[in-house]
Structure formats: structure tokens, C-alpha cells
Amino acid sequence: MRCTRQDTVKRNPVIVIFFFQAEDGIRDVERSRGLGDVYKRQEEGLGQKLGNPDNPLLLSVRPGVAAQMPGILDCFCNIGLNDKTVLGLVKKSKNERFAYELYMKFIEEFASAAMNVNRQKFDIIKKKLVTGKSDVSVYDIKKAIDSYLKLVFVETKKDFPQNADDQLCTAISTLYNEWGGKQATLYRRLHDLTHLRGCGIIIQKMVFGNFNSKSGTGRIFSRNPLTGDKQIYGEYMMNTQGEDFIRGKGTPNLIDNLKMEMPNIYGQLSKICKQLEVQFQGVQDIQFTIEDSKHVSYTHLTLPTK
């Protein structure tokens, strides 16, 4: 298992803290605990620190696989949020509602994937305290968070992890376990992917597609996969995180609309697509996020496509 800083896409906005390469299906999580020294060196450059209550660094943990396996492996977002760091996020973002909604979402996603808590039980709480109301307040969201935390304890007999390092290692462990699990093994066998040697782990600084109405996320191809035309092709959604987009929560817009809505961002995406095609020598399938209509579109994952 190697743990290295990755500058995978030169000159492109990829905020990668580091990348684990797991060969031959290695899933030694204890060795992953040695990652601390690696990401702490990156924290200095970012000016943020994982678990810092005043200026928290939040991370995403994604599988890095040489072929697409949709719906098989989880992605973890907002690693590092807890009862204390959410207060730092409130202060930094100046948006209390955004911070607590993010924390509520993180508890649900993490507990469902890593702690085997039934997602439907979170939905029941959410419908009662949040989505079922016409006028939801921050107080309602905080009540839902309290109920989420109690649910996790009732279902697992454990408190939701408040230590950011433990959250990170648990996310990595979960992805390795999923890679070696029955579902992923069967998928690789059915789709002639048994030659894949292992699952890499990509750890990135969080970028928030749900920060406000000028933020968003999407998935594009570097050219039209149906006709081969050299024009980016795909969809996006505003004010949405990637997991909700992937799960189809909402109605996406055609990427052509972004050309009118945010021409500068569309232009940058077009440039990124051209650079990726040259670097990886083929049509690319790209996931991206826009935060607060800034000048940078952040690419999270790029894969070759047919």
C-alpha cells in the first residue's frame, strides 16, 4: 500500500491531499493509520486542520478504481465534522443553516455506510422534523441532529465518532471492506473486471456544491459519447452535493445551460476536458463541483470511457 501526494492532473484544479494505492486487494487498515503524518504536512499548506474546532479541514474519501462500478462502492463526504467543528464551519461560512444541514447529512451518510444503520430510520426522523415542515428553522435541523445521534447509539450501542482521525480511518476501512465484499466481487465477475488488482483511496479537501445557489455539481464527458463531437456533454445541478446528484435527488440541467448561466465556469470546464483528453489520451468521464461561482471548477474524478 502506498500513500503519496498526487498531482494527477497538472495545471487543473484537483485538490488531492493524498492517494492510497491498494495492490492485490490489501485491506490492512492499521497501516492506514500511518497516513497521519502525510495529511498533516498537507494541512500546513491548506491553512486548515482536520478536527480543528476553529478552522476545520473537511475531507472526502472516494474509491479510486480503474473501471466504473456504479452503486457498488460508497463515497464519504464531510469527514471531520463533529459537535465542535460544526461551530467552526458556522463561523467560517457565516451560514449556520448550511453548516448544520451539512452535519445532519454527514451523520446520515456516514452511519448508513460505515455503521450499518438503516437509512430508512433516518428518513423517518427527517420527514418528521425537517422535510415534512413547510418552514424549517435551524432549530429544527439541530433537533434532527440530536435524534440522529440518539438513533446511532440505539442501533449500534456506540456513540457517533467525534474524533476526526477515527472518522477518516473508518471511511478507508469501509471502502476496503466493500471492495472485498460479496457485492463488489460478484460485480467484477459479471462485468469481466476480475483483473483489477485493488481499490485505491482518493482523499480530497471538500468543495461544497451545496454552499449556495451559485454552487453546484455535475458529471460530464469530454466530448459527446454518442456522436464523438468535440463538445462537452453531460448534466449538472445547482446547490447540490455530488452524492445527491449521483443518486438522482432532483432534476439535473443539461450542461449546455451552464454556458448561459456561468459562461466563465463552462469555459474552464471545456479547457479542462481538452487537457484531460491530451494527458490521458482518450475521452474522459469527469465529476466536478462549483463552489460559490468562483473562478475554479474542481474536478474530483476522471475515468476513461468508451
Side-chain angles (χ1 to χ4, degrees), residues 54-297:
D54 298 316
N55 190 18
L57 171 66
L58 301 182
L59 301 174
S60 67
V61 179
R62 305 169 188 271
V65 185
Q68 295 189 46
M69 298 176 61
I72 303 299
L73 303 176
D74 282 297
C75 294
F76 291 89
C77 289
N78 310 311
I79 295 289
L81 273 178
N82 57 36
D83 292 347
K84 294 181 179 179
T85 57
V86 70
L87 299 175
L89 185 60
V90 170
K91 182 179 178 181
K92 183 181 176 182
S93 66
K94 298 180 176 60
N95 189 334
E96 187 179 29
R97 185 187 188 91
F98 161 74
Y100 279 99
E101 282 184 340
L102 207 66
Y103 188 27
M104 183 179 73
K105 180 179 176 64
F106 170 58
I107 295 169
E108 177 182 350
E109 298 290 341
F110 188 92
S112 298
M115 303 177 74
N116 296 317
V117 179
N118 190 324
R119 189 183 296 270
Q120 291 182 347
K121 294 187 177 182
F122 288 112
D123 290 338
I124 293 172
I125 295 172
K126 187 162 48 178
K127 185 175 181 180
K128 179 180 179 181
L129 299 177
V130 180
T131 57
K133 292 188 173 183
S134 58
D135 186 17
V136 180
S137 66
V138 174
Y139 176 74
D140 293 325
I141 297 170
K142 290 180 179 179
K143 283 180 61 179
I145 288 172
D146 289 339
S147 296
Y148 275 19
L149 295 174
K150 290 176 183 177
L151 173 65
V152 171
F153 183 80
V154 168
E155 294 294 310
T156 67
K157 301 299 184 283
K158 297 179 182 179
D159 290 324
F160 185 83
Q162 294 291 312
N163 183 284
D165 291 320
D166 288 345
Q167 292 175 2
L168 180 56
C169 288
T170 299
I172 294 170
S173 172
T174 299
L175 288 180
Y176 284 154
N177 288 333
E178 288 178 347
W179 172 263
K182 292 182 180 179
Q183 187 178 18
T185 301
L186 177 61
Y187 184 94
R188 292 195 297 274
R189 186 163 65 245
L190 293 175
H191 292 82
D192 195 25
L193 297 173
T194 55
H195 61 283
L196 295 179
R197 298 184 63 188
C199 173
I201 304 293
I202 302 168
I203 301 178
Q204 297 173 292
K205 178 182 181 295
M206 279 298 302
V207 181
F208 302 108
N210 60 337
F211 184 70
N212 56 26
S213 61
K214 296 181 180 180
S215 305
T217 188
R219 179 184 178 187
I220 55 174
F221 296 92
S222 56
R223 66 177 67 198
N224 191 315
L226 302 177
T227 65
D229 291 343
K230 293 183 179 181
Q231 183 177 12
I232 58 176
Y233 179 93
E235 297 175 325
Y236 72 100
M237 288 174 60
M238 301 305 294
N239 202 7
T240 303
Q241 276 201 306
E243 289 63 42
D244 291 336
F245 173 81
I246 292 171
R247 293 193 178 105
K249 295 182 179 180
T251 304
N253 301 304
L254 293 176
I255 198 67
D256 290 344
N257 294 341
L258 189 65
K259 191 172 185 178
M260 296 178 288
E261 190 172 356
M262 294 181 176
N264 183 41
I265 296 297
Y266 182 90
Q268 290 184 54
L269 281 174
S270 297
K271 183 179 179 181
I272 289 169
C273 286
K274 292 177 182 178
Q275 291 175 342
L276 289 173
E277 278 205 2
V278 171
Q279 185 168 346
F280 295 111
Q281 301 181 351
V283 181
Q284 297 296 303
D285 180 351
I286 303 164
Q287 296 176 18
F288 69 93
T289 293
I290 306 161
E291 183 179 308
D292 199 23
S293 69
K294 292 179 180 177
H295 297 296
V296 179
S297 304

